[in-house]
Amino acid sequence: MEAERTDNDPIVGTGVDIVQISRLRRIDLKAPFYRRVFTTREMEYCKRFDDPLPHLAGVFAAKEAVWKSISHLSPPALSGIEILHDPPGRPQVHLSGHVDCRVHLSISHSGDYAVAVAIAVDSEMGIDGDYASRLASLVTDLIQSKEVPR
C-alpha cells in the first residue's frame, strides 16, 4: 500500500533494486540487451574498469530504482534514464522527457550483487541534496549489511 503524499512532502517517490551480477555475466557484452538498456556513456564508464560487470549491474539496478521512484510520473523507458558519474564517482541521474523532479541515488556492489536506492524529490520544494544522498547511502549500507535491524 502506498502512503498518501501531503502537499508539503518534498519526496515524491523512492525505489530500490538489486541485481545479481552473475546473471549479467551470462549475456555477451555485444548482445542487443546492452545497446537497448545502456547509453554509450554508461557503457564507456563501466568498460573503464578491469571487470565492467559489477558496474553495469550497479547502473542497471540504479535505472530500475530510479524508474520505480518516478513510476507514477510517466517515466521514460530505461534507455531514457541515464546514470553518469561526477569526477569523484558519485552517480548522477539524467532523465529524458518531462519528469519534474530530481533523483538522488546511491549504488553499491559487493560479491555477486549490486544494489541501488533512488529518492525522487519535488523540483519546486526539494530537500538538501546532501541529506538525500546520505539517506540513500544509509539505505544501501543497511541493505548490504549482514546485520539488518529488525
Side-chain angles (χ1 to χ4, degrees):
M1 182 161 82
E2 188 172 317
E4 196 169 310
R5 186 170 176 253
T6 63
D7 287 340
N8 60 352
D9 187 0
I11 296 177
V12 296
T14 59
V16 176
D17 198 66
I18 187 167
V19 173
Q20 191 173 16
I21 298 166
S22 59
R23 291 188 70 202
L24 289 184
R25 286 198 192 286
R26 292 182 236 152
I27 304 170
D28 186 288
L29 280 173
K30 293 181 169 87
F33 165 80
Y34 289 101
R35 286 189 305 280
R36 192 173 58 248
V37 173
F38 298 97
T39 67
T40 301
R41 294 189 294 181
E42 290 168 335
M43 290 297 292
E44 287 171 355
Y45 171 80
C46 294
K47 286 182 175 181
R48 292 189 316 198
F49 296 92
D50 290 338
D51 184 3
L53 287 168
H55 303 277
L56 286 166
V59 170
F60 186 69
K63 287 172 169 273
E64 289 280 341
V66 169
W67 192 90
K68 290 173 184 177
S69 75
I70 60 173
S71 62
H72 59 290
L73 301 174
S74 301
L78 287 185
S79 59
I81 300 170
E82 188 173 40
I83 309 301
L84 301 176
H85 294 77
D86 66 10
R90 291 181 300 246
Q92 307 293 312
V93 178
H94 299 268
L95 300 171
S96 64
H98 302 289
V99 179
D100 192 24
C101 67
R102 290 178 320 199
V103 182
H104 300 277
L105 183 64
S106 180
I107 305 171
S108 188
H109 47 81
S110 179
D112 195 33
Y113 293 93
V115 64
V117 175
I119 300 172
V121 178
D122 186 303
S123 292
E124 296 294 315
M125 296 175 71
I127 59 176
D128 178 83
D130 287 337
Y131 172 78
S133 295
R134 286 193 317 271
L135 180 59
S137 291
L138 174 65
V139 173
T140 358
D141 290 347
L142 282 172
I143 290 169
Q144 283 205 316
S145 166
K146 290 191 171 37
E147 296 183 27
V148 176
R150 299 191 192 279

